[in-house]
Amino acid sequence: MGVIAISRQVAALGDEIAAEVAEKLGYKFINRQELEKRIVALGFPAGKLKKYDEKKPGFFASLVKDRDEYLHYLQTAVLESAEEGNCILIGRGAFVILESLPNLVSLRFVAKDEIRMQRLQKEFDWNEKQALQRINESDTNRKGFHKSFFNVEIDDASHFLMVLNTGIFDEKSSADAIATLVKHYITPEKEAAGKEKLAELIKCQHLVNKLIFEYKLNIEFLRAVIDGKNLTLQGVADSTVLVERAIKIAAVELPEYTISSAISVVQDFKGHL
């Protein structure tokens, strides 16, 4: 069981190479459209996807409740997709969401601007100005998306197991290299550890979803972290009563863990946004 998470620049052959790798390894390629369907199936309105999906949210969009809901639905969709095993996810910060998995192969595809421009001009019959505008718009949005939702710099190579220049390597040679990497990198020990860690991440996300969507607890940036038999809730709330309720609910939902809180209490938190 391996999980591949791909980050890519526009016109860096992300989907093409992912499809080729999936065929070579017998993996399932969960592309953009499939992941969007899963996010919507979980409960996020399809009409609101365009505000957040791999875009830097505007000022007001970044403050509204939809922004946090989108992130929770996105993380749930990515985690549940990874649970299926032997899959490839592309974009949407999957490499960040899954970064703690020992059996994750995180990849980034890049290419020089002039090469990406040539590809876009050929594919869409655009002129140079149109192609460059698309590149600048996409790069800005993807950088903003990852910074806004995950506080990471997408161009930081240290987040990835391998960064591949697809202006040098074509689709076939790129897919061959990745398939070889996966076969050598993913060991039975990493598979077992990855499965265990993924189960913890899903358990935490499901608890967070329950607290927010079912119990309607208004805790910002809420997340749960498991360490052994301890589970810690993190986030920002405007009252200790809210924090205490979250702890009690978590203790009932997951009685096998000792529940503690690292939730910051800030009076009139909403008024400062």
Side-chain angles (χ1 to χ4, degrees), residues 74-95:
L74 169 64
Q75 290 177 155
T76 304
V78 169
L79 291 169
E80 291 183 352
S81 297
E83 189 179 27
E84 298 173 9
N86 295 341
C87 65
I88 301 174
L89 294 124
I90 191 164
R92 298 352 173 247
F95 74 93

Side-chain angles (χ1 to χ4, degrees), residues 125-141:
D125 194 26
W126 286 346
N127 57 39
E128 288 187 4
K129 183 178 179 180
Q130 290 173 309
L132 183 58
Q133 182 178 350
R134 173 66 178 123
I135 286 173
N136 290 336
E137 178 184 35
S138 176
D139 288 355
T140 298
N141 269 326

Side-chain angles (χ1 to χ4, degrees), residues 8 13 16 24 37 70 91 106 127 152 194 211 216-217 233 257-258:
R8 78 284 184 235
L13 305 180
E16 294 87 346
K24 285 181 178 294
K37 288 179 183 177
Y70 169 76
S106 53
N127 57 39
V152 301
L211 292 172
K216 308 296 183 182
L217 299 189
L233 296 175
Y257 293 98
T258 300

Side-chain angles (χ1 to χ4, degrees), residues 110-112 115 119 164-171 173-174:
V110 300
K112 289 184 177 181
I115 293 176
R119 289 171 177 167
L164 195 62
N165 186 336
T166 65
I168 298 175
F169 296 94
D170 61 16
E171 294 172 35
S173 58
S174 296

Side-chain angles (χ1 to χ4, degrees), residues 67-264:
R67 184 252 186 220
D68 289 342
E69 288 187 356
Y70 169 76
L71 179 58
H72 290 304
Y73 284 125
L74 169 64
Q75 290 177 155
T76 304
V78 169
L79 291 169
E80 291 183 352
S81 297
E83 189 179 27
E84 298 173 9
N86 295 341
C87 65
I88 301 174
L89 294 124
I90 191 164
R92 298 352 173 247
F95 74 93
V96 187
I97 297 170
L98 303 172
E99 65 181 347
S100 60
L101 297 187
N103 61 330
L104 174 69
V105 176
S106 53
L107 308 168
R108 179 150 172 83
F109 301 158
V110 300
K112 289 184 177 181
D113 286 357
E114 52 263 37
I115 293 176
R116 295 195 287 155
M117 286 174 61
Q118 290 170 8
R119 289 171 177 167
L120 289 172
Q121 287 177 262
K122 181 179 179 181
E123 181 177 358
F124 298 104
D125 194 26
W126 286 346
N127 57 39
E128 288 187 4
K129 183 178 179 180
Q130 290 173 309
L132 183 58
Q133 182 178 350
R134 173 66 178 123
I135 286 173
N136 290 336
E137 178 184 35
S138 176
D139 288 355
T140 298
N141 269 326
R142 290 177 182 177
K143 287 178 182 178
F145 173 84
H146 289 84
K147 187 65 176 177
S148 175
F149 283 100
F150 305 108
N151 195 30
V152 301
E153 297 292 342
I154 190 76
D155 293 323
D156 183 353
S158 66
H159 289 295
F160 306 99
L161 186 63
M162 182 171 70
V163 177
L164 195 62
N165 186 336
T166 65
I168 298 175
F169 296 94
D170 61 16
E171 294 172 35
K172 184 179 184 306
S173 58
S174 296
D176 287 342
I178 293 166
T180 300
L181 172 65
V182 172
K183 289 176 182 177
H184 284 84
Y185 182 74
I186 302 298
T187 63
E189 292 76 18
K190 287 178 180 175
E191 287 184 23
K195 185 176 181 179
E196 181 178 350
K197 184 62 180 179
L198 184 57
E200 287 184 357
L201 294 175
I202 291 175
K203 191 177 294 185
C204 286
Q205 188 62 53
H206 285 172
L207 173 63
V208 168
N209 291 352
K210 186 175 286 286
L211 292 172
I212 292 176
F213 301 128
E214 184 174 327
Y215 289 94
K216 308 296 183 182
L217 299 189
N218 193 16
I219 302 175
E220 301 297 319
F221 315 116
L222 182 62
R223 65 190 301 259
V225 178
I226 290 175
D227 182 10
K229 299 305 293 182
N230 301 308
L231 185 147
T232 303
L233 296 175
Q234 302 173 351
V236 181
D238 61 7
S239 75
T240 55
V241 173
L242 199 58
V243 175
E244 290 170 0
R245 188 174 180 215
I247 293 174
K248 289 180 180 179
I249 294 171
V252 172
E253 295 291 336
L254 297 174
E256 67 272 28
Y257 293 98
T258 300
I259 310 298
S260 62
S261 171
I263 298 174
S264 300

